[in-house]
Amino acid sequence: MSELLTRLEVEDLKENLREVQELLHRHALVEGLVERQEMPRHALVEQLVHKQHLAELRAKLDNLHPADIAYILEALPLEERLVVWELIKADRDGEILLEVSDAVRESLIASMDSDELVAAAETLEADELADLAADLPAEVIQEVVQSLPAEDRERLRSALSYAEGTVGALMDFEMVTVREDVTLEAVTRYLRRMDELADHTDQLYVVDRERRLRGTLPLARLIVSDLDAEVATVMVPERVTLHPQDRAEDAARAFERYDLVSAPVVDEDGKLVGRVTVNTVVDFIREESDADVFNLAGLREEEDIFASVWKSAQNRWLWLALNLCTAFFASRVIGIFSDTIAKYVALATLMPIVAGIAGNSGNQTTTIIIRSLA
């Protein structure tokens, strides 16, 4: 069943991409025809055609999830990518910038002015903003930090203080905490006053007055338990706790081993400072897998498939230079045996055979490794 859903999702993504590409192609085609025609009110006709196609494309984009839009942006050449980016609603810019690859994000940010970047950044939570901080100009970050409430400002500084690849860098600050000496009825009333729960909230965190973690209250237990009971009698001791300095790989293994949806993050004093959710862990695993595949191919994670030839050459010059050195070394070895080859000319016919078999063996090995990773 899961394989069928995955296949359908991939087909939907490809269909959305095809429709967007078709709309872009139709827009460019009609624009070109109108520009070549000499007719009265030429500018008015061109403007009407332009707005009609862009409105249709905008309506299509408005119905797509930010992750799907990110997929489309990554699959488009730079010129078409920027056309699509201009049609996306400003309040969705931040979400989409989080989803796209590093190279595409760099091209999108370069097309935005400071006001647009500030507006996009202000729609994000502190932990999400920390993920974008490295790609945003310093003056934009400074302006956004000044506009944040004191609590969010402190959260952002905390998130930025942790090194990449640690649990602290994956940590989310949006969570629900309750005290152990209150009743489940009070907890239920407290939850009903909220507009919505944070994503992937499968449990509430029980803390004392100093915010030390005492245990967790799964929502499943809250629903089926007597509302007159106290939280202390229903909560469960938390078996898996993470620390901000822990490696993200260890957290990912814990999520896989214990089938977790979320896990608390505590400091050295046992105080609750945040949580890690399964969606963040899945994103981390995917990024690590992509990086491994790129390394096998001699690519960089931040490389854009539609980058210029010069930029691609810059990213590969080390590998090309290494291959050139090995080729010179092989030619020198052949030169040492030039006298032998001159006496036995038949040996020269074996040289391309050996090179071809070696190349095929390398290609097959690479294919097997990539398929295993997939």
mmCIF file of all heavy atoms in Angstrom, residues 139-188:
data_model
loop_
_atom_site.group_PDB
_atom_site.id
_atom_site.type_symbol
_atom_site.label_atom_id
_atom_site.label_comp_id
_atom_site.label_asym_id
_atom_site.label_seq_id
_atom_site.Cartn_x
_atom_site.Cartn_y
_atom_site.Cartn_z
ATOM 1 N N GLU A 139 22.219 41.980 7.285
ATOM 2 C CA GLU A 139 21.313 43.075 7.649
ATOM 3 C C GLU A 139 19.866 42.600 7.726
ATOM 4 O O GLU A 139 19.073 43.115 8.533
ATOM 5 C CB GLU A 139 21.428 44.230 6.645
ATOM 6 C CG GLU A 139 21.083 43.889 5.201
ATOM 7 C CD GLU A 139 22.278 43.367 4.416
ATOM 8 O OE1 GLU A 139 23.303 43.037 5.064
ATOM 9 O OE2 GLU A 139 22.196 43.305 3.178
ATOM 10 N N VAL A 140 19.508 41.598 6.917
ATOM 11 C CA VAL A 140 18.160 41.046 6.978
ATOM 12 C C VAL A 140 17.942 40.310 8.290
ATOM 13 O O VAL A 140 16.919 40.473 8.967
ATOM 14 C CB VAL A 140 17.903 40.107 5.781
ATOM 15 C CG1 VAL A 140 16.572 39.365 5.946
ATOM 16 C CG2 VAL A 140 17.904 40.885 4.476
ATOM 17 N N ILE A 141 18.916 39.485 8.671
ATOM 18 C CA ILE A 141 18.823 38.757 9.937
ATOM 19 C C ILE A 141 18.715 39.727 11.099
ATOM 20 O O ILE A 141 17.904 39.542 12.025
ATOM 21 C CB ILE A 141 20.039 37.827 10.118
ATOM 22 C CG1 ILE A 141 19.974 36.676 9.122
ATOM 23 C CG2 ILE A 141 20.103 37.270 11.533
ATOM 24 C CD1 ILE A 141 18.823 35.725 9.352
ATOM 25 N N GLN A 142 19.512 40.780 11.069
ATOM 26 C CA GLN A 142 19.496 41.754 12.155
ATOM 27 C C GLN A 142 18.133 42.435 12.270
ATOM 28 O O GLN A 142 17.601 42.614 13.372
ATOM 29 C CB GLN A 142 20.596 42.798 11.938
ATOM 30 C CG GLN A 142 20.733 43.791 13.084
ATOM 31 C CD GLN A 142 21.896 44.738 12.863
ATOM 32 O OE1 GLN A 142 22.584 44.676 11.843
ATOM 33 N NE2 GLN A 142 22.116 45.624 13.829
ATOM 34 N N GLU A 143 17.552 42.793 11.139
ATOM 35 C CA GLU A 143 16.249 43.444 11.165
ATOM 36 C C GLU A 143 15.161 42.502 11.658
ATOM 37 O O GLU A 143 14.265 42.901 12.418
ATOM 38 C CB GLU A 143 15.906 43.966 9.770
ATOM 39 C CG GLU A 143 14.619 44.776 9.712
ATOM 40 C CD GLU A 143 14.396 45.418 8.353
ATOM 41 O OE1 GLU A 143 15.346 45.419 7.535
ATOM 42 O OE2 GLU A 143 13.281 45.917 8.116
ATOM 43 N N VAL A 144 15.234 41.232 11.239
ATOM 44 C CA VAL A 144 14.238 40.257 11.673
ATOM 45 C C VAL A 144 14.362 40.009 13.175
ATOM 46 O O VAL A 144 13.348 39.930 13.892
ATOM 47 C CB VAL A 144 14.395 38.943 10.888
ATOM 48 C CG1 VAL A 144 13.492 37.860 11.466
ATOM 49 C CG2 VAL A 144 14.067 39.155 9.420
ATOM 50 N N VAL A 145 15.583 39.871 13.667
ATOM 51 C CA VAL A 145 15.801 39.629 15.093
ATOM 52 C C VAL A 145 15.229 40.772 15.924
ATOM 53 O O VAL A 145 14.601 40.557 16.972
ATOM 54 C CB VAL A 145 17.302 39.441 15.378
ATOM 55 C CG1 VAL A 145 17.566 39.442 16.877
ATOM 56 C CG2 VAL A 145 17.791 38.130 14.776
ATOM 57 N N GLN A 146 15.403 41.995 15.478
ATOM 58 C CA GLN A 146 14.895 43.148 16.216
ATOM 59 C C GLN A 146 13.373 43.189 16.249
ATOM 60 O O GLN A 146 12.788 43.716 17.200
ATOM 61 C CB GLN A 146 15.434 44.439 15.600
ATOM 62 C CG GLN A 146 16.935 44.628 15.800
ATOM 63 C CD GLN A 146 17.467 45.853 15.081
ATOM 64 O OE1 GLN A 146 16.749 46.480 14.298
ATOM 65 N NE2 GLN A 146 18.720 46.193 15.328
ATOM 66 N N SER A 147 12.732 42.619 15.219
ATOM 67 C CA SER A 147 11.269 42.639 15.162
ATOM 68 C C SER A 147 10.633 41.493 15.943
ATOM 69 O O SER A 147 9.414 41.486 16.147
ATOM 70 C CB SER A 147 10.800 42.581 13.709
ATOM 71 O OG SER A 147 11.138 41.335 13.123
ATOM 72 N N LEU A 148 11.426 40.505 16.378
ATOM 73 C CA LEU A 148 10.877 39.356 17.090
ATOM 74 C C LEU A 148 10.574 39.705 18.542
ATOM 75 O O LEU A 148 11.249 40.545 19.147
ATOM 76 C CB LEU A 148 11.878 38.195 17.053
ATOM 77 C CG LEU A 148 12.132 37.511 15.714
ATOM 78 C CD1 LEU A 148 13.243 36.480 15.851
ATOM 79 C CD2 LEU A 148 10.867 36.854 15.188
ATOM 80 N N PRO A 149 9.566 39.040 19.125
ATOM 81 C CA PRO A 149 9.353 39.164 20.573
ATOM 82 C C PRO A 149 10.575 38.637 21.336
ATOM 83 O O PRO A 149 11.372 37.863 20.802
ATOM 84 C CB PRO A 149 8.116 38.298 20.826
ATOM 85 C CG PRO A 149 7.448 38.162 19.493
ATOM 86 C CD PRO A 149 8.543 38.221 18.476
ATOM 87 N N ALA A 150 10.697 39.041 22.592
ATOM 88 C CA ALA A 150 11.882 38.687 23.382
ATOM 89 C C ALA A 150 12.064 37.172 23.474
ATOM 90 O O ALA A 150 13.181 36.660 23.362
ATOM 91 C CB ALA A 150 11.768 39.297 24.773
ATOM 92 N N GLU A 151 10.954 36.430 23.648
ATOM 93 C CA GLU A 151 11.051 34.976 23.778
ATOM 94 C C GLU A 151 11.545 34.340 22.485
ATOM 95 O O GLU A 151 12.437 33.477 22.505
ATOM 96 C CB GLU A 151 9.690 34.396 24.167
ATOM 97 C CG GLU A 151 9.721 32.894 24.424
ATOM 98 C CD GLU A 151 8.362 32.348 24.821
ATOM 99 O OE1 GLU A 151 7.391 33.139 24.869
ATOM 100 O OE2 GLU A 151 8.256 31.124 25.066
ATOM 101 N N ASP A 152 10.975 34.757 21.349
ATOM 102 C CA ASP A 152 11.401 34.210 20.058
ATOM 103 C C ASP A 152 12.836 34.616 19.736
ATOM 104 O O ASP A 152 13.588 33.847 19.118
ATOM 105 C CB ASP A 152 10.474 34.683 18.949
ATOM 106 C CG ASP A 152 9.099 34.040 19.034
ATOM 107 O OD1 ASP A 152 8.982 32.997 19.712
ATOM 108 O OD2 ASP A 152 8.147 34.573 18.440
ATOM 109 N N ARG A 153 13.225 35.817 20.145
ATOM 110 C CA ARG A 153 14.598 36.264 19.913
ATOM 111 C C ARG A 153 15.589 35.377 20.661
ATOM 112 O O ARG A 153 16.632 34.983 20.127
ATOM 113 C CB ARG A 153 14.736 37.721 20.349
ATOM 114 C CG ARG A 153 16.024 38.398 19.889
ATOM 115 C CD ARG A 153 16.068 39.824 20.402
ATOM 116 N NE ARG A 153 14.839 40.536 20.032
ATOM 117 C CZ ARG A 153 14.226 41.395 20.818
ATOM 118 N NH1 ARG A 153 14.690 41.631 22.033
ATOM 119 N NH2 ARG A 153 13.140 42.010 20.393
ATOM 120 N N GLU A 154 15.233 35.026 21.878
ATOM 121 C CA GLU A 154 16.107 34.157 22.667
ATOM 122 C C GLU A 154 16.157 32.757 22.068
ATOM 123 O O GLU A 154 17.202 32.108 22.034
ATOM 124 C CB GLU A 154 15.605 34.098 24.110
ATOM 125 C CG GLU A 154 16.519 33.339 25.060
ATOM 126 C CD GLU A 154 17.908 33.934 25.142
ATOM 127 O OE1 GLU A 154 18.037 35.167 25.021
ATOM 128 O OE2 GLU A 154 18.873 33.154 25.318
ATOM 129 N N ARG A 155 15.025 32.287 21.558
ATOM 130 C CA ARG A 155 14.996 30.974 20.919
ATOM 131 C C ARG A 155 15.872 30.945 19.670
ATOM 132 O O ARG A 155 16.584 29.961 19.421
ATOM 133 C CB ARG A 155 13.548 30.611 20.552
ATOM 134 C CG ARG A 155 12.665 30.250 21.734
ATOM 135 C CD ARG A 155 11.242 29.957 21.273
ATOM 136 N NE ARG A 155 10.415 29.457 22.353
ATOM 137 C CZ ARG A 155 9.129 29.157 22.227
ATOM 138 N NH1 ARG A 155 8.533 29.298 21.045
ATOM 139 N NH2 ARG A 155 8.442 28.710 23.249
ATOM 140 N N LEU A 156 15.812 32.007 18.888
ATOM 141 C CA LEU A 156 16.624 32.075 17.674
ATOM 142 C C LEU A 156 18.105 32.062 18.019
ATOM 143 O O LEU A 156 18.893 31.347 17.383
ATOM 144 C CB LEU A 156 16.263 33.326 16.878
ATOM 145 C CG LEU A 156 17.086 33.583 15.613
ATOM 146 C CD1 LEU A 156 16.970 32.411 14.646
ATOM 147 C CD2 LEU A 156 16.654 34.884 14.940
ATOM 148 N N ARG A 157 18.497 32.835 18.999
ATOM 149 C CA ARG A 157 19.899 32.843 19.401
ATOM 150 C C ARG A 157 20.339 31.478 19.917
ATOM 151 O O ARG A 157 21.462 31.032 19.664
ATOM 152 C CB ARG A 157 20.111 33.912 20.472
ATOM 153 C CG ARG A 157 20.054 35.344 19.927
ATOM 154 C CD ARG A 157 20.083 36.364 21.036
ATOM 155 N NE ARG A 157 20.049 37.728 20.507
ATOM 156 C CZ ARG A 157 19.769 38.796 21.222
ATOM 157 N NH1 ARG A 157 19.496 38.665 22.521
ATOM 158 N NH2 ARG A 157 19.759 39.998 20.659
ATOM 159 N N SER A 158 19.442 30.812 20.632
ATOM 160 C CA SER A 158 19.758 29.470 21.119
ATOM 161 C C SER A 158 19.932 28.498 19.959
ATOM 162 O O SER A 158 20.870 27.698 19.935
ATOM 163 C CB SER A 158 18.652 28.995 22.057
ATOM 164 O OG SER A 158 18.862 27.660 22.456
ATOM 165 N N ALA A 159 19.036 28.562 18.967
ATOM 166 C CA ALA A 159 19.122 27.659 17.816
ATOM 167 C C ALA A 159 20.386 27.903 17.013
ATOM 168 O O ALA A 159 21.013 26.961 16.512
ATOM 169 C CB ALA A 159 17.887 27.814 16.936
ATOM 170 N N LEU A 160 20.786 29.167 16.876
ATOM 171 C CA LEU A 160 21.983 29.494 16.098
ATOM 172 C C LEU A 160 23.266 29.107 16.820
ATOM 173 O O LEU A 160 24.323 29.018 16.194
ATOM 174 C CB LEU A 160 22.007 30.995 15.781
ATOM 175 C CG LEU A 160 20.938 31.504 14.812
ATOM 176 C CD1 LEU A 160 20.985 33.019 14.695
ATOM 177 C CD2 LEU A 160 21.105 30.859 13.441
ATOM 178 N N SER A 161 23.180 28.872 18.111
ATOM 179 C CA SER A 161 24.390 28.557 18.874
ATOM 180 C C SER A 161 24.829 27.106 18.719
ATOM 181 O O SER A 161 25.959 26.764 19.078
ATOM 182 C CB SER A 161 24.164 28.863 20.367
ATOM 183 O OG SER A 161 23.175 27.994 20.912
ATOM 184 N N TYR A 162 23.949 26.250 18.206
ATOM 185 C CA TYR A 162 24.283 24.832 18.084
ATOM 186 C C TYR A 162 24.890 24.545 16.705
ATOM 187 O O TYR A 162 24.458 25.088 15.695
ATOM 188 C CB TYR A 162 23.040 23.965 18.286
ATOM 189 C CG TYR A 162 22.441 24.108 19.662
ATOM 190 C CD1 TYR A 162 21.188 24.693 19.829
ATOM 191 C CD2 TYR A 162 23.126 23.691 20.795
ATOM 192 C CE1 TYR A 162 20.632 24.838 21.092
ATOM 193 C CE2 TYR A 162 22.578 23.833 22.056
ATOM 194 C CZ TYR A 162 21.336 24.406 22.193
ATOM 195 O OH TYR A 162 20.795 24.557 23.447
ATOM 196 N N ALA A 163 25.872 23.667 16.711
ATOM 197 C CA ALA A 163 26.567 23.324 15.471
ATOM 198 C C ALA A 163 25.678 22.474 14.576
ATOM 199 O O ALA A 163 24.793 21.748 15.051
ATOM 200 C CB ALA A 163 27.859 22.572 15.791
ATOM 201 N N GLU A 164 25.923 22.562 13.282
ATOM 202 C CA GLU A 164 25.179 21.744 12.327
ATOM 203 C C GLU A 164 25.495 20.267 12.558
ATOM 204 O O GLU A 164 26.627 19.898 12.830
ATOM 205 C CB GLU A 164 25.553 22.145 10.906
ATOM 206 C CG GLU A 164 24.723 21.466 9.839
ATOM 207 C CD GLU A 164 25.059 21.945 8.446
ATOM 208 O OE1 GLU A 164 25.907 22.861 8.335
ATOM 209 O OE2 GLU A 164 24.504 21.417 7.476
ATOM 210 N N GLY A 165 24.470 19.434 12.444
ATOM 211 C CA GLY A 165 24.662 18.012 12.671
ATOM 212 C C GLY A 165 24.430 17.585 14.101
ATOM 213 O O GLY A 165 24.653 16.421 14.450
ATOM 214 N N THR A 166 23.962 18.498 14.957
ATOM 215 C CA THR A 166 23.641 18.176 16.335
ATOM 216 C C THR A 166 22.129 18.211 16.540
ATOM 217 O O THR A 166 21.380 18.754 15.717
ATOM 218 C CB THR A 166 24.308 19.155 17.316
ATOM 219 O OG1 THR A 166 23.799 20.483 17.081
ATOM 220 C CG2 THR A 166 25.817 19.157 17.120
ATOM 221 N N VAL A 167 21.694 17.640 17.660
ATOM 222 C CA VAL A 167 20.267 17.643 17.974
ATOM 223 C C VAL A 167 19.758 19.066 18.153
ATOM 224 O O VAL A 167 18.634 19.393 17.767
ATOM 225 C CB VAL A 167 20.016 16.800 19.243
ATOM 226 C CG1 VAL A 167 18.609 17.023 19.769
ATOM 227 C CG2 VAL A 167 20.245 15.322 18.949
ATOM 228 N N GLY A 168 20.604 19.932 18.732
ATOM 229 C CA GLY A 168 20.190 21.317 18.932
ATOM 230 C C GLY A 168 19.831 22.014 17.644
ATOM 231 O O GLY A 168 18.933 22.864 17.616
ATOM 232 N N ALA A 169 20.509 21.674 16.544
ATOM 233 C CA ALA A 169 20.208 22.288 15.245
ATOM 234 C C ALA A 169 18.884 21.788 14.672
ATOM 235 O O ALA A 169 18.288 22.459 13.832
ATOM 236 C CB ALA A 169 21.338 21.998 14.264
ATOM 237 N N LEU A 170 18.417 20.615 15.117
ATOM 238 C CA LEU A 170 17.149 20.058 14.640
ATOM 239 C C LEU A 170 15.983 20.390 15.569
ATOM 240 O O LEU A 170 14.831 20.112 15.232
ATOM 241 C CB LEU A 170 17.251 18.528 14.526
ATOM 242 C CG LEU A 170 18.361 17.942 13.655
ATOM 243 C CD1 LEU A 170 18.291 16.424 13.682
ATOM 244 C CD2 LEU A 170 18.271 18.452 12.237
ATOM 245 N N MET A 171 16.277 20.994 16.685
ATOM 246 C CA MET A 171 15.300 21.145 17.757
ATOM 247 C C MET A 171 14.178 22.102 17.385
ATOM 248 O O MET A 171 14.380 23.109 16.714
ATOM 249 C CB MET A 171 16.038 21.629 19.008
ATOM 250 C CG MET A 171 15.229 21.619 20.273
ATOM 251 S SD MET A 171 16.304 21.853 21.714
ATOM 252 C CE MET A 171 17.122 23.407 21.278
ATOM 253 N N ASP A 172 12.975 21.761 17.865
ATOM 254 C CA ASP A 172 11.780 22.578 17.669
ATOM 255 C C ASP A 172 11.344 23.094 19.039
ATOM 256 O O ASP A 172 11.376 22.361 20.030
ATOM 257 C CB ASP A 172 10.684 21.714 17.031
ATOM 258 C CG ASP A 172 9.387 22.475 16.861
ATOM 259 O OD1 ASP A 172 9.389 23.703 17.014
ATOM 260 O OD2 ASP A 172 8.360 21.823 16.582
ATOM 261 N N PHE A 173 10.920 24.368 19.088
ATOM 262 C CA PHE A 173 10.549 24.967 20.368
ATOM 263 C C PHE A 173 9.044 24.951 20.614
ATOM 264 O O PHE A 173 8.592 25.317 21.697
ATOM 265 C CB PHE A 173 11.052 26.412 20.432
ATOM 266 C CG PHE A 173 12.549 26.533 20.342
ATOM 267 C CD1 PHE A 173 13.157 26.904 19.150
ATOM 268 C CD2 PHE A 173 13.348 26.264 21.429
ATOM 269 C CE1 PHE A 173 14.529 27.018 19.054
ATOM 270 C CE2 PHE A 173 14.726 26.377 21.346
ATOM 271 C CZ PHE A 173 15.316 26.747 20.159
ATOM 272 N N GLU A 174 8.253 24.559 19.599
ATOM 273 C CA GLU A 174 6.808 24.552 19.740
ATOM 274 C C GLU A 174 6.357 23.241 20.373
ATOM 275 O O GLU A 174 6.425 22.183 19.747
ATOM 276 C CB GLU A 174 6.140 24.731 18.368
ATOM 277 C CG GLU A 174 6.424 26.069 17.715
ATOM 278 C CD GLU A 174 5.889 27.226 18.533
ATOM 279 O OE1 GLU A 174 4.789 27.089 19.117
ATOM 280 O OE2 GLU A 174 6.562 28.269 18.591
ATOM 281 N N MET A 175 5.900 23.293 21.632
ATOM 282 C CA MET A 175 5.469 22.098 22.351
ATOM 283 C C MET A 175 4.521 22.510 23.460
ATOM 284 O O MET A 175 4.432 23.685 23.825
ATOM 285 C CB MET A 175 6.677 21.348 22.924
ATOM 286 C CG MET A 175 7.540 22.213 23.796
ATOM 287 S SD MET A 175 9.097 21.447 24.218
ATOM 288 C CE MET A 175 9.939 22.836 25.001
ATOM 289 N N VAL A 176 3.801 21.530 24.005
ATOM 290 C CA VAL A 176 2.835 21.785 25.073
ATOM 291 C C VAL A 176 3.350 21.140 26.348
ATOM 292 O O VAL A 176 3.670 19.950 26.368
ATOM 293 C CB VAL A 176 1.450 21.222 24.714
ATOM 294 C CG1 VAL A 176 0.451 21.524 25.824
ATOM 295 C CG2 VAL A 176 0.961 21.788 23.387
ATOM 296 N N THR A 177 3.421 21.937 27.419
ATOM 297 C CA THR A 177 3.873 21.428 28.725
ATOM 298 C C THR A 177 2.747 21.567 29.735
ATOM 299 O O THR A 177 1.947 22.509 29.677
ATOM 300 C CB THR A 177 5.103 22.205 29.220
ATOM 301 O OG1 THR A 177 4.775 23.596 29.355
ATOM 302 C CG2 THR A 177 6.259 22.060 28.248
ATOM 303 N N VAL A 178 2.679 20.626 30.660
ATOM 304 C CA VAL A 178 1.686 20.648 31.737
ATOM 305 C C VAL A 178 2.378 20.282 33.039
ATOM 306 O O VAL A 178 3.490 19.732 33.054
ATOM 307 C CB VAL A 178 0.522 19.673 31.458
ATOM 308 C CG1 VAL A 178 -0.261 20.106 30.232
ATOM 309 C CG2 VAL A 178 1.032 18.251 31.279
ATOM 310 N N ARG A 179 1.703 20.573 34.151
ATOM 311 C CA ARG A 179 2.224 20.242 35.480
ATOM 312 C C ARG A 179 1.642 18.904 35.922
ATOM 313 O O ARG A 179 0.513 18.537 35.561
ATOM 314 C CB ARG A 179 1.856 21.342 36.458
ATOM 315 C CG ARG A 179 2.474 22.701 36.134
ATOM 316 C CD ARG A 179 3.870 22.780 36.689
ATOM 317 N NE ARG A 179 3.824 22.730 38.125
ATOM 318 C CZ ARG A 179 3.531 23.770 38.903
ATOM 319 N NH1 ARG A 179 3.266 24.948 38.348
ATOM 320 N NH2 ARG A 179 3.505 23.640 40.211
ATOM 321 N N GLU A 180 2.360 18.186 36.786
ATOM 322 C CA GLU A 180 1.928 16.851 37.197
ATOM 323 C C GLU A 180 0.853 16.880 38.275
ATOM 324 O O GLU A 180 0.211 15.865 38.544
ATOM 325 C CB GLU A 180 3.132 16.044 37.703
ATOM 326 C CG GLU A 180 3.870 16.685 38.850
ATOM 327 C CD GLU A 180 5.114 15.909 39.242
ATOM 328 O OE1 GLU A 180 5.130 14.684 38.985
ATOM 329 O OE2 GLU A 180 6.047 16.502 39.792
ATOM 330 N N ASP A 181 0.634 18.028 38.911
ATOM 331 C CA ASP A 181 -0.328 18.100 40.003
ATOM 332 C C ASP A 181 -1.689 18.630 39.572
ATOM 333 O O ASP A 181 -2.524 18.956 40.417
ATOM 334 C CB ASP A 181 0.221 18.971 41.140
ATOM 335 C CG ASP A 181 0.599 20.365 40.662
ATOM 336 O OD1 ASP A 181 0.589 20.587 39.435
ATOM 337 O OD2 ASP A 181 0.913 21.215 41.511
ATOM 338 N N VAL A 182 -1.953 18.729 38.259
ATOM 339 C CA VAL A 182 -3.256 19.182 37.772
ATOM 340 C C VAL A 182 -4.047 17.986 37.276
ATOM 341 O O VAL A 182 -3.494 16.915 36.996
ATOM 342 C CB VAL A 182 -3.109 20.235 36.653
ATOM 343 C CG1 VAL A 182 -2.354 21.449 37.156
ATOM 344 C CG2 VAL A 182 -2.413 19.630 35.437
ATOM 345 N N THR A 183 -5.348 18.154 37.129
ATOM 346 C CA THR A 183 -6.199 17.060 36.662
ATOM 347 C C THR A 183 -6.240 17.028 35.132
ATOM 348 O O THR A 183 -5.922 18.016 34.456
ATOM 349 C CB THR A 183 -7.628 17.223 37.197
ATOM 350 O OG1 THR A 183 -8.190 18.420 36.661
ATOM 351 C CG2 THR A 183 -7.633 17.289 38.721
ATOM 352 N N LEU A 184 -6.659 15.894 34.633
ATOM 353 C CA LEU A 184 -6.783 15.756 33.185
ATOM 354 C C LEU A 184 -7.874 16.668 32.636
ATOM 355 O O LEU A 184 -7.800 17.111 31.485
ATOM 356 C CB LEU A 184 -7.078 14.299 32.820
ATOM 357 C CG LEU A 184 -6.005 13.267 33.199
ATOM 358 C CD1 LEU A 184 -6.409 11.892 32.672
ATOM 359 C CD2 LEU A 184 -4.649 13.666 32.662
ATOM 360 N N GLU A 185 -8.882 16.955 33.440
ATOM 361 C CA GLU A 185 -9.924 17.882 32.997
ATOM 362 C C GLU A 185 -9.346 19.275 32.769
ATOM 363 O O GLU A 185 -9.670 19.947 31.780
ATOM 364 C CB GLU A 185 -11.047 17.944 34.032
ATOM 365 C CG GLU A 185 -12.205 18.830 33.611
ATOM 366 C CD GLU A 185 -13.302 18.878 34.660
ATOM 367 O OE1 GLU A 185 -13.120 18.284 35.737
ATOM 368 O OE2 GLU A 185 -14.345 19.532 34.388
ATOM 369 N N ALA A 186 -8.446 19.706 33.675
ATOM 370 C CA ALA A 186 -7.803 21.008 33.509
ATOM 371 C C ALA A 186 -6.927 21.018 32.263
ATOM 372 O O ALA A 186 -6.861 22.023 31.536
ATOM 373 C CB ALA A 186 -6.981 21.339 34.754
ATOM 374 N N VAL A 187 -6.249 19.911 32.023
ATOM 375 C CA VAL A 187 -5.410 19.817 30.819
ATOM 376 C C VAL A 187 -6.275 19.907 29.570
ATOM 377 O O VAL A 187 -5.925 20.590 28.598
ATOM 378 C CB VAL A 187 -4.606 18.496 30.828
ATOM 379 C CG1 VAL A 187 -3.872 18.303 29.502
ATOM 380 C CG2 VAL A 187 -3.624 18.474 31.977
ATOM 381 N N THR A 188 -7.415 19.232 29.567
ATOM 382 C CA THR A 188 -8.312 19.261 28.410
ATOM 383 C C THR A 188 -8.819 20.673 28.153
ATOM 384 O O THR A 188 -8.867 21.130 26.995
ATOM 385 C CB THR A 188 -9.495 18.309 28.643
ATOM 386 O OG1 THR A 188 -8.993 16.992 28.904
ATOM 387 C CG2 THR A 188 -10.401 18.270 27.429
#
